[in-house]
Amino acid sequence: MFQAPIQVPIIMPQLGESIAEATLVRLVLNPGDAVEVDADILEVETNKAVMGVTAQANGIVGEIIAEVDKSYPVGAILGYITVTDEEAKRLGISDDPEPKKSAPRKPKVELESATRVEPTIKGLPVPAHAGGASYLTPRMKARMAELGMHAADLSGIAGSGAGGRVTIEDLERFLEDIERNRITPASSMRVAVADAMRRSWTRPLATVGRSVALDKLLAHRKAQTAKPGPALYGLRALAIALGENSAPAGRLIGEKIVHPRSVDIGFAVEAEDGVLVPVIRNADQTSLADLVERYNRLVEQARARRLPAADTGGSIATITNYGTFGLTLATPIPLPEQTVLLGMGAGVVVPSWDAKAEKFIPVTEAMFTLSFDHRVLDGGAAGRLLKRVAELLNAPETL
Amino acid sequence: MSVKVTYLDAIREAQERALADDPRVFLYGQDIGKFGGAFKATKDLASKFPGRVLDSPLSEDAIVGMAIGAAIEGARPIIEMQFADFSTCGLNQIVNQAATLYYRTGVPCPIVVRLPSGGTPGSGPFHSQSMEALYAHYPGLIVLTPATVEDAYSMLLAAVEIDDPVIFCEHKFLYNHLKADSLPAEATPIGKARIARPGRDLTIVTYSAMVHESIAAADEIAADGFEIEVVDLRSVKPLDTDTILASVARTGRLLCVGEAFPWGGVCAEVIARVTAEGFGLLDAAPQRLNAKDTPVPYHPALWGTHRPTASAIVAAARQQLEI
Amino acid sequence: MSEVVKARPSAARDEGREFLKAYRIMLSARVLEEKLAALYRGGKIKGGVFLGRGQEALSVSIGISLRKGDIFAPLIRDQAGRMAFGDTILDTLRTYLGSSLGSMRGRDGNIHRGRPREGYYAMISHLGAMIPLVAGGLLARRLRGESGVVGATSIGDGGTSTGAFHEGLNAAAVEKLPLVVVIANNQYAYSTPNDRQFACADLLDKAIGYGVAGHKVDGTDLAACLDVVGAAVADARAGGGPQMIVADLLRLVGHGEHDDGKYVDSELRKKHVGRDCLAVAGATIISNGWATEEQLSAWRDEVEIEVDDTANRVMREPEPDPNEEDWRAISTPVLEDHCS
């Protein structure tokens, strides 16, 4: 069987530390000449010396591919020596193209596969604990701080970074794009409300509601000279109910329920392009009739943006009458420092089945909603509070 | 009546104890014999241990080289460079001979090189240097920077027992200024940093004399309601990255303070590690405070601002806390 | 006051037994170095090759005069001395060819090898630096109560200009240590001739300056080398303090095998100092009738076969594996610094 003769390459040796190449000066032996180990085959010149290149195999000089007066880098193949099988064996030349190499040791830290995020086409890896799209790098945070932006402002941007991250480029492109829209400044009121709502929304919020019959309340109101606003009825009912059981207005801080100190109830008043919340202090201890004047004055002051500091802040719950906007149902957002928000819808006349008279009679009803921080209250407690409010509203003379 | 122990006393007592406990120990250096050493760190030791506390010629290369040769033959020499600044005359033996001996030959090199380091008023460019970063840079060396009387004692004893070359950076200013009630019976192991002052709002990582300046700075800032945690590295190499990271995890902010020159110093190394391994712990960019990038000036008025002081640390810390 | 001891003329020694032993070691060193040169020019050596051709007589005299328990820090051109002190053809080839089984385990190479625990110190490249080391080793032995130990080291004319040479020899003299420093003045430090290296009339004059015994010897004459080096070692062993030997000879190779030594004055090769000590020793053996030319030739053949076989075997040994290294520079694992 024909077997190709084994060629041992003649390689340009490393002839000094900073030497990268050498020039072939002459052939000491020619192709076809017999050669022994350690005999000079070629002569080369570096910038430091002229020296011989020795054969490292016994055999016949084969093809010399290097040319005289040309330079070749260290490691270049200059020619070949043809050797017998025996000689090849002696030199340890095997058929294996790749000798076995040991593998690098695995790194000590192993990332949990659960937290790994696949890199996008751009190949940016996300840190294992980065949390994907919501991760904001220090650089992003710094840029956003410059612009007065919050994470919520980025909700309109589809991030092109790994895991859906919004990158600096995404942000700058977004800002350029919105420049083409009409832009008006947001009032400081708007910005303040935005901040409050954003902070409130960091909690899990829920809303429950029930219809409350208003006929008794309306009759009671008609009989007053100084007519209390509808919201004031709701405020007093809420105050009495919380005075009986303040737990639903407690706050969850860590693993503690922080109970309210006094039943101070706020009520929402629309002012310019925002909402102000004046507060009635100790609302459980003053009767409805005695609150009318104070309430009306606070409404006026709020509307005029001249609310005294002492009459704002520190309330433990708030009431909002969205019925004045014609809304029959809403799911408003409690203040960020409060757990509950009582909402009142517009009164509607509806047919109600009178079991005694065995016929439908017209009744005025309004939807009352309780929006709450679901970490503190569940549906049951919310329902019970609403039921108590409804009871009190049906006995307006007790308010 | 309790007589206080100074940082210098601690170093002398440690050497005395090493000589007494281990017959392989001997001391070699300039003026350390009858004279007791330029700083009296070896006072009376020559008479207590005749033939084992030897005066050398003024030859740092030979002093270090001979210590290495002696160590190969089983001795445990403690050599004194008269000032850390002069160790560069023996740099070759330290970094190319001592530091490479184990790696190249498998034979450990148990020498201790004592370097009186750091500045004192008027000491000037060649009697003030802090060389720890230079030596820590070379693989094969242990670099220690004791900040307290207790550590000066126990870490020098530990250094003698370590089989590898130890560069022992003792601070000259602390020699007679720092006092303790007694010497410790136990010691924290080499390689562990110490929380010199627990805190909450900012971590200062530092070592040697700067530990005391940092604590003074922290006490001043406490009046503003901020509590600074001061970490005393104790050893620059090995560096206790775990303790540093745990502290930064608690505070979220890092200021690294060192008396040495800024470029490539210990602080640069600490910050590189915290940034690489604790990026997510940081609320603010880590900062460092070092000497100015000039030789150490001679005049006390210049020297006073050349290296960090308690008030400079206060200013830098305040900046870190305001971010 | 130091005495300048002149070399004694070549004399018949004890039927030439020591002379023959020395010659055979020189021959092994010569043949081995020829092989190293060929391997280098065949691209098989990792790193540089530095040979001691022309210096074998001086070098072997050091190794032969030392005893087990002594300390020897050989330098670049001491293949013969190393082998006389116990180094082997096998470990030499292993270190040059980069076998993981060599004494330096791939962490250092060529002439930087040694086994310090056996008193065979491993040089670093900074010339002169080994002198304080040997002095320190001798100091430690003395402190342990040992006597009769000698430490020897070689250095070239160039190395005598270093600060480390000065500091080490001075400190050893102050301590009166049994240190033997053998200066091989081979006329060139790389390409630098003596007149650009030192201004004193004779390197031997430095002995007076250091307050140590000084000896001059013809480095090309094996008999003289054995005499003078032997006497100096004996003097040191007997408490005569440091000994400085200055030998005149010629480097018969380039500074390294990457250098062709074109700058060496070709006239020197023709002078006494340019004689090949191996050829001179061979002639001495034949003229004294201690062996025949055929025997010398046979010895050369034997050594060539041993060297070739050992080289072939070593070339099949494994290289150091970076994945098996612990990559730790200190001996105490618990103090390892994790910086990367």
Side-chain angles (χ1 to χ4, degrees):
Chain A
M1 188 166 88
F2 178 73
Q3 207 168 16
I6 297 165
Q7 308 274 15
V8 175
I10 305 164
I11 300 206
M12 177 70 83
Q14 177 79 58
L15 297 169
E17 259 149 49
S18 54
I19 302 295
E21 57 178 26
T23 309
L24 177 58
V25 172
R26 71 182 183 97
L27 301 188
V28 178
L29 294 173
N30 292 294
D33 290 345
V35 65
E36 275 186 5
V37 168
D38 294 341
D40 284 355
I41 291 187
L42 313 165
E43 213 167 74
V44 298
E45 181 175 23
T46 66
N47 61 357
K48 290 193 188 177
V50 177
M51 57 189 78
V53 174
T54 62
Q56 287 305 311
N58 298 304
I60 311 286
V61 177
E63 195 197 349
I64 301 291
I65 50 182
E67 288 169 40
V68 172
D69 289 337
K70 282 227 163 81
S71 281
Y72 298 89
V74 171
I77 297 178
L78 305 172
Y80 295 92
I81 299 172
T82 312
V83 302
T84 62
D85 290 355
E86 238 184 276
E87 175 71 0
K89 216 174 261 168
R90 185 188 76 81
L91 294 169
I93 299 169
S94 65
D95 285 332
D96 282 340
E98 281 290 315
K100 224 188 242 168
K101 280 202 168 109
S102 69
R105 273 199 221 108
K106 280 197 194 334
K108 288 185 191 126
V109 176
E110 284 184 12
L111 299 171
E112 295 165 27
S113 48
T115 52
R116 263 190 181 273
V117 178
E118 293 303 284
T120 62
I121 294 166
K122 286 200 180 165
L124 293 170
V126 177
H129 52 275
S134 59
Y135 178 68
L136 295 172
T137 64
R139 187 178 171 204
M140 270 298 285
K141 283 184 198 160
R143 184 77 185 110
M144 287 164 68
E146 266 174 37
L147 300 165
M149 289 177 71
H150 297 281
D153 303 332
L154 305 181
S155 62
I157 307 174
S160 65
R165 267 164 64 186
V166 176
T167 65
I168 283 280
E169 291 81 24
D170 293 333
L171 176 62
E172 302 294 357
R173 235 177 292 128
F174 174 72
L175 293 170
E176 256 177 61
D177 188 61
I178 62 175
E179 286 294 320
R180 300 185 308 169
N181 296 52
R182 186 170 72 96
I183 296 181
T184 53
S187 66
S188 47
M189 164 76 84
R190 193 75 249 138
V191 172
V193 172
D195 185 64
M197 291 299 100
R198 186 182 56 81
R199 282 184 292 117
S200 184
W201 195 250
T202 59
R203 305 169 297 170
L205 302 172
T207 299
V208 296
R210 67 181 288 152
S211 294
V212 176
L214 290 182
D215 298 278
K216 290 212 176 120
L217 185 157
L218 291 169
H220 180 274
R221 183 165 188 261
K222 205 165 167 198
Q224 310 298 311
T225 5
K227 297 196 192 306
L232 188 54
Y233 281 87
L235 190 152
R236 265 296 287 168
L238 182 62
I240 292 168
L242 288 177
E244 290 162 357
N245 173 21
S246 66
R251 291 162 61 195
L252 181 71
I253 309 291
E255 286 176 15
K256 300 190 181 46
I257 304 283
V258 179
H259 292 268
R261 282 195 283 263
S262 58
V263 186
D264 303 339
I265 310 284
F267 55 99
V269 178
E270 197 186 13
E272 284 197 13
D273 69 340
V275 178
L276 288 177
V277 183
V279 179
I280 304 268
R281 308 267 174 221
N282 299 301
D284 56 334
Q285 289 165 23
T286 318
S287 71
L288 180 67
D290 292 337
L291 283 175
V292 176
E293 208 191 304
R294 192 175 355 152
Y295 176 82
N296 289 338
R297 187 177 14 113
L298 288 170
V299 172
E300 240 181 75
Q301 285 172 320
R303 288 211 177 109
R305 307 278 301 267
R306 286 190 292 109
L307 205 53
D311 291 320
T312 180
S315 51
I316 66 163
T318 303
I319 183 165
T320 177
N321 183 358
Y322 48 80
T324 59
F325 311 132
L327 299 172
T328 51
L329 177 65
T331 57
I333 295 171
L335 293 185
E337 67 274 17
Q338 293 180 2
T339 295
V340 293
L341 173 64
L342 183 67
M344 295 169 55
V348 192
V349 179
V350 297
S352 178
W353 181 254
D354 185 338
K356 228 163 152 198
E358 283 189 357
K359 59 175 178 177
F360 281 101
I361 56 171
V363 160
T364 308
E365 275 188 354
M367 181 63 69
F368 274 69
T369 54
L370 191 75
S371 301
F372 58 96
D373 178 350
H374 207 317
R375 297 174 306 147
V376 183
L377 292 188
D378 298 321
R384 283 188 288 278
L385 177 59
L386 263 187
K387 182 161 179 249
R388 186 68 188 118
V389 165
E391 275 169 18
L392 289 162
L393 289 171
N394 253 299
E397 63 284 357
T398 61
L399 296 176
Chain B
M1 175 184 93
S2 81
V3 178
K4 294 265 193 184
V5 185
T6 66
Y7 185 94
L8 183 68
D9 292 333
I11 288 166
R12 184 178 45 245
E13 303 227 3
Q15 291 180 98
E16 182 169 347
R17 174 132 171 232
L19 284 161
D21 289 353
D22 190 342
R24 302 171 298 174
V25 173
F26 72 96
L27 310 187
Y28 195 55
Q30 295 159 34
D31 307 297
I32 63 167
K34 195 152 140 213
F35 189 66
F39 297 100
K40 304 300 173 203
T42 55
K43 185 162 179 242
D44 296 333
L45 295 182
S47 56
K48 285 185 187 169
F49 300 95
R52 291 169 66 196
V53 180
L54 306 172
D55 285 322
S56 72
L58 212 170
S59 303
E60 285 83 3
D61 188 292
I63 293 169
V64 182
M66 284 179 66
I68 299 166
I72 292 174
E73 298 301 321
R76 292 206 163 235
I78 307 173
I79 59 176
E80 180 181 299
M81 299 278 100
Q82 199 154 80
F83 284 80
D85 315 44
F86 302 141
S87 67
T88 46
C89 299
L91 181 73
N92 186 50
Q93 295 284 9
I94 297 173
V95 305
N96 286 315
Q97 192 101 250
T100 67
L101 187 71
Y102 172 71
Y103 182 73
R104 295 167 55 238
T105 69
V107 173
C109 185
I111 66 171
V112 177
V113 184
R114 287 182 41 238
L115 301 185
S117 313
T120 58
S123 47
F126 311 115
H127 294 78
S128 309
Q129 291 168 30
S130 303
M131 323 276 298
E132 54 279 342
L134 189 72
Y135 293 118
H137 185 68
Y138 277 90
L141 299 172
I142 309 278
V143 182
L144 306 181
T145 52
T148 63
V149 173
E150 293 84 350
D151 273 347
Y153 179 73
S154 59
M155 287 173 78
L156 185 51
L157 285 176
V160 174
E161 287 182 24
I162 292 172
D163 286 339
D164 298 300
V166 176
I167 308 299
F168 193 80
C169 305
E170 17 184 275
H171 202 287
K172 297 193 286 302
F173 192 81
L174 299 180
Y175 273 166
N176 294 304
H177 280 86
L178 206 58
K179 299 184 172 77
D181 287 325
S182 63
L183 291 172
E186 284 177 356
T188 312
I190 302 279
K192 293 251 105 234
R194 172 181 75 102
I195 307 293
R197 183 190 194 280
R200 174 197 64 211
D201 302 304
L202 168 68
T203 296
I204 291 183
V205 171
T206 185
Y207 56 98
S208 195
M210 287 296 129
V211 170
H212 307 283
E213 298 292 313
S214 300
I215 290 176
D219 289 343
E220 187 179 318
I221 290 187
D224 294 343
F226 291 108
E227 290 302 326
I228 295 179
E229 181 153 290
V230 178
V231 176
D232 172 9
L233 289 174
R234 302 176 70 241
S235 67
V236 158
K237 195 171 192 188
L239 193 64
D240 186 357
T241 316
D242 288 343
T243 300
I244 296 169
L245 286 173
S247 179
V248 175
R250 281 192 288 278
T251 65
R253 287 159 206 267
L254 173 66
L255 174 66
C256 195
V257 179
E259 185 175 331
F261 305 128
W263 208 103
V266 172
C267 292
E269 182 67 29
V270 168
I271 289 176
R273 293 191 197 192
V274 170
T275 313
E277 295 172 54
F279 190 62
L281 303 172
L282 292 166
D283 287 328
Q287 296 295 338
R288 57 182 170 164
L289 182 64
N290 293 114
K292 297 197 194 302
D293 192 21
T294 70
V296 182
Y298 137 79
H299 198 289
L302 296 178
W303 179 72
T305 49
H306 181 264
R307 90 234 183 283
T309 55
S311 48
I313 299 171
V314 165
R318 285 224 162 95
Q319 252 192 316
Q320 274 299 78
L321 288 164
E322 267 158 34
I323 298 164
Chain C
M1 216 50 220
S2 68
E3 262 186 9
V4 174
V5 178
K6 288 259 165 64
R8 280 174 254 151
S10 310
R13 303 171 57 82
D14 195 15
E15 286 131 52
R17 205 176 303 145
E18 194 192 40
F19 198 97
L20 283 171
K21 179 179 168 194
Y23 177 85
R24 290 199 73 160
I25 297 172
M26 286 164 67
L27 182 61
S28 294
R30 178 67 62 93
V31 169
L32 176 52
E33 288 199 335
E34 285 168 3
K35 180 67 177 177
L36 289 174
L39 286 168
Y40 179 77
R41 289 180 290 111
K44 295 287 179 187
I45 303 276
K46 318 284 185 268
V49 168
F50 299 84
L51 305 179
R53 185 186 182 97
Q55 305 186 205
E56 294 93 339
L58 179 68
S59 184
V60 79
S61 303
I62 310 173
I64 266 186
S65 305
L66 294 173
R67 301 207 283 243
K68 190 160 163 29
D70 283 343
I71 297 173
F72 183 30
L75 230 65
I76 301 168
R77 314 212 181 270
D78 283 305
Q79 185 62 39
R82 289 169 188 255
M83 293 175 77
F85 196 64
D87 198 359
T88 60
I89 293 173
L90 178 61
D91 198 51
T92 305
L93 284 165
R94 278 181 163 158
T95 308
Y96 272 97
L97 290 167
S99 161
S100 66
L101 302 175
S103 56
M104 305 305 275
R105 299 150 294 141
R107 293 169 173 200
D108 209 341
N110 49 47
I111 38 124
H112 298 90
R113 68 188 189 277
R115 275 187 257 252
R117 288 255 191 263
E118 294 163 34
Y120 174 14
Y121 286 6
M123 64 170 279
I124 67 172
S125 303
H126 307 71
L127 301 174
M130 299 313 287
I131 293 177
L133 236 78
V134 178
L138 294 170
L139 180 67
R141 300 290 200 92
R142 171 193 288 170
L143 290 175
R144 271 220 299 270
E146 283 179 43
S147 59
V149 183
V150 168
T153 185
S154 287
I155 195 154
D157 40 288
T160 65
S161 301
T162 67
F165 170 88
H166 167 75
E167 292 195 20
L169 191 44
N170 181 59
V174 164
E175 286 292 342
K176 248 188 132 60
L177 292 166
L179 171 71
V180 178
V181 176
V182 181
I183 301 172
N185 185 355
N186 62 13
Q187 315 307 313
Y188 284 85
Y190 202 151
S191 72
T192 310
N194 281 177
D195 65 4
R196 293 297 301 168
Q197 193 62 248
F198 53 86
C200 54
D202 191 332
L203 284 174
L204 188 63
D205 295 340
K206 295 195 181 210
I208 301 170
Y210 289 111
V212 302
H215 315 262
K216 209 36 147 36
V217 70
D218 175 357
T220 64
D221 183 337
L222 176 60
C225 287
L226 288 168
D227 260 350
V228 171
V229 175
V233 168
D235 194 20
R237 207 180 294 285
Q243 314 281 318
M244 178 196 283
I245 301 170
V246 179
D248 289 310
L249 34 68
L250 184 66
R251 197 183 76 202
L252 298 180
V253 283
H255 170 63
E257 284 308 286
H258 54 279
D259 170 56
D260 58 13
K262 281 197 292 271
Y263 42 78
V264 175
D265 180 1
S266 48
E267 290 303 301
L268 288 173
R269 198 59 184 84
K270 302 181 195 144
K271 299 203 168 122
H272 183 97
V273 76
R275 304 187 309 165
D276 182 351
C277 56
L278 186 67
V280 172
T284 307
I285 289 171
I286 291 166
S287 73
N288 277 299
W290 295 328
T292 64
E293 198 160 338
E294 290 72 36
Q295 273 169 314
L296 298 190
S297 190
W299 289 343
R300 177 173 255 277
D301 291 341
E302 256 176 62
V303 178
E304 280 180 9
I305 290 171
E306 187 187 348
V307 166
D308 278 344
D309 286 349
T310 310
N312 291 331
R313 171 178 144 205
V314 170
M315 280 193 274
R316 281 202 283 278
E317 283 177 2
E319 285 195 338
D321 183 347
N323 297 312
E324 293 301 310
E325 283 283 307
D326 62 16
W327 293 108
R328 174 164 43 88
I330 52 171
S331 71
T332 317
V334 72
L335 294 179
E336 198 177 350
D337 183 47
H338 302 281
C339 24
S340 41

